[in-house]
Amino acid sequence: MKKDFIKIVFLISLLFFAGCAGAPVRGAVSLKGPIYDIDNVQYVPLSSVREAYEVGYDWDSIAKKLTLHRAGKKVVVAVGSNVALIEGIPKTLDAPVKMRHSEVVLPRRFAADTLAGLFIETRLVRRPATTEPVVRRAVLEPSAYVISRIVLDAGHGGKDAGALGYGGLREKTIVLDIAKRVKYHLEKAHIDVRLTRDSDRFVSLWKRAAIANQIDADFFISIHANAARSRSAHGFEVFYLSEAIDDSARAVAAAENAALKHEKSSFGNAKPSNDLEATLWDLEHTENREESVEMARIITNTVSRRLNMRNRGAKAARFYVLKGCRMPSVLIEAGFVSNKWEAKRLSNAQYREKLAQAIASGIINYKREYDESEGFTK
Ligand SMILES: [Zn+2]
């Protein structure tokens, strides 16, 4: 009896130790190398961070922007700035990131605490294979670069009616209808689609991007309808995010960004300073450009070919709703509600169906091209 008891204790402890064997202890990885004292703040060089956490990095020498990445996790910092974007979320550092003898140096506390917490945890804890989104993506994604999940964003909604057109036509109503129809056609093509709103309700611009970031969407597509002071303006255009913009793009962006006035603040309840917003813009905006430009180009071409519609082209603009997205994104202006002829067409359900079909096939054409190329940037 006693012998059995000892045997069981032995077996249990064996199991316990077997379970622990090889499991690395968190905190075992530490920063080695020099520590510099600059203006009474301790700094460590980028090389130490890379070595300790085995992170990859991209260096944008013009913007002086550093992106650290490992296992899908990402941190962006810029020299001279004390704001870091950690998985898209801004964090204020004790001191700005600096250069020392042509190497980037990071505040030691940030490197030792924040970066260790993010990158070491990624290294030691594997994502459980049973997590539902992982399994689903594995089924849908034979290769790593396939586009499988798209967020469709019907512009405006609720108290924000968007552009007002002929015959009382309201942008928020027609774009929701078009978005639902596009969703239907994309789902038929086995693309997982989420809508940022599926009813006439107000959703902040910030929240729309956050929805896409939360579900790790592969593409964000915002659908709008245009209005212009000139009643003769008409046609279809698709925008991507860029700094280099012309006056007409600036005007469209100003109109669409006006939804911001309905929001308490652009970042939840705590309104950050303009400086912070400018910094975040700098940290975020150059990414995913190539995919966005290509998507914009293919959608405009497909739609103008299918429908007898003026192709106003793929254009650059600064849209707030696209700024927050951590994936490639475009904003479709599906026509002018301020143009009598186009407003009449847009108020017709059959026309909207044709338009939705054309937008969906543009997206599917892009997807095909992208999937085959295994990602334009890879
Ligand atoms: Zn709009």
Side-chain angles (χ1 to χ4, degrees):
M1 195 61 192
K2 201 181 173 193
K3 215 173 150 192
D4 282 349
F5 177 69
I6 290 168
K7 219 159 118 186
I8 288 165
V9 169
F10 175 72
L11 280 173
I12 289 172
S13 49
L14 199 70
L15 277 172
F16 178 74
F17 285 114
C20 289
V25 182
R26 213 191 135 185
V29 180
S30 63
L31 283 167
K32 294 191 185 83
I35 295 170
Y36 306 118
D37 207 273
I38 306 171
D39 300 334
N40 296 321
V41 178
Q42 292 191 325
Y43 281 86
V44 293
L46 170 62
S47 52
S48 302
V49 171
R50 289 181 56 209
E51 201 172 304
Y53 310 145
E54 293 175 21
V55 289
Y57 79 106
D58 294 307
W59 170 243
D60 180 337
S61 60
I62 295 165
K64 300 247 177 291
K65 196 167 86 175
L66 174 74
T67 306
L68 298 167
H69 49 82
R70 186 175 211 296
K73 296 204 172 178
K74 197 169 83 177
V75 173
V76 188
V77 294
V79 171
S81 166
N82 67 340
V83 177
L85 262 192
I86 297 156
E87 293 285 87
I89 297 160
K91 180 189 167 68
T92 307
L93 315 183
D94 298 341
V97 172
K98 292 191 168 177
M99 296 289 281
R100 185 186 180 278
H101 299 322
S102 69
E103 187 181 17
V104 175
V105 291
L106 304 156
R108 194 173 79 98
R109 239 181 56 163
F110 169 65
D113 298 345
T114 313
L115 295 183
L118 183 77
F119 291 124
I120 296 179
E121 208 149 39
T122 313
R123 243 169 62 161
L124 303 187
V125 184
R126 286 220 182 104
R127 269 200 237 174
T130 49
T131 311
E132 188 254 352
V134 176
V135 169
R136 217 153 44 114
R137 286 175 83 81
V139 172
L140 286 167
E141 282 189 0
S143 99
Y145 308 120
V146 167
I147 291 172
S148 63
R149 188 175 298 161
I150 287 176
V151 165
L152 284 181
D153 173 48
H156 314 278
K159 61 189 172 188
D160 173 16
L164 296 171
Y166 263 94
L169 193 61
R170 288 195 289 190
E171 178 185 0
K172 67 170 183 176
T173 313
I174 54 168
V175 296
L176 177 60
D177 179 78
I178 294 169
K180 283 179 176 174
R181 291 171 190 271
V182 174
K183 178 178 191 277
Y184 171 80
H185 293 291
L186 291 180
E187 283 176 343
K188 273 208 311 200
H190 310 292
I191 297 172
D192 183 8
V193 180
R194 308 284 172 89
L195 295 173
T196 52
R197 67 177 182 100
D198 59 4
S199 62
D200 181 20
R201 64 187 182 90
F202 178 75
V203 182
S204 74
L205 296 181
W206 169 82
K207 176 76 181 163
R208 293 166 195 258
I211 289 169
N213 293 340
Q214 259 161 29
I215 65 161
D216 196 18
D218 302 310
F219 229 104
F220 179 89
I221 296 168
S222 193
I223 302 177
H224 290 255
N226 225 334
R229 208 166 279 169
S230 159
R231 298 266 157 123
S232 61
H234 66 283
F236 185 89
E237 54 197 351
V238 182
F239 292 90
Y240 53 89
L241 195 59
S242 176
E243 262 192 318
I245 53 177
D246 64 20
D247 282 346
S248 79
R250 193 170 285 122
V252 178
E256 298 298 6
N257 291 341
L260 283 173
K261 70 173 182 275
H262 296 284
E263 299 179 18
K264 278 200 198 99
S265 91
S266 40
F267 285 86
N269 292 320
K271 174 93 181 149
S273 69
N274 285 336
D275 284 353
L276 176 61
E277 290 216 40
T279 307
L280 294 177
W281 161 255
D282 290 339
L283 292 179
E284 279 174 336
H285 91 278
T286 49
E287 293 171 62
N288 306 316
R289 175 90 54 86
E290 203 174 336
E291 289 85 349
S292 307
V293 173
E294 189 64 5
M295 176 70 97
R297 193 186 61 79
I298 293 181
I299 294 176
T300 45
N301 290 345
T302 310
V303 169
S304 62
R305 207 172 43 231
R306 291 251 200 130
L307 288 101
N308 180 22
M309 208 168 179
R310 185 180 162 213
N311 184 357
R312 297 173 66 95
K315 297 171 174 177
R318 278 187 183 183
F319 288 109
Y320 191 87
V321 70
L322 303 185
K323 270 166 75 170
C325 293
R326 273 185 272 144
M327 67 285 309
S329 56
V330 295
L331 187 143
I332 295 172
E333 290 286 358
F336 284 76
V337 292
S338 49
N339 178 270
K340 198 173 179 177
W341 179 69
E342 217 155 66
K344 209 176 150 191
R345 295 224 290 182
L346 284 165
S347 58
N348 179 304
Q350 256 178 316
Y351 176 77
R352 289 196 303 270
E353 173 60 20
K354 267 168 77 178
L355 191 58
Q357 280 178 20
I359 292 170
S361 50
I363 295 167
I364 292 162
N365 287 346
Y366 169 87
K367 172 180 157 54
R368 201 170 295 138
E369 219 174 87
Y370 183 86
D371 292 353
E372 278 168 10
S373 71
E374 294 198 312
F376 298 125
T377 53
K378 304 292 175 204

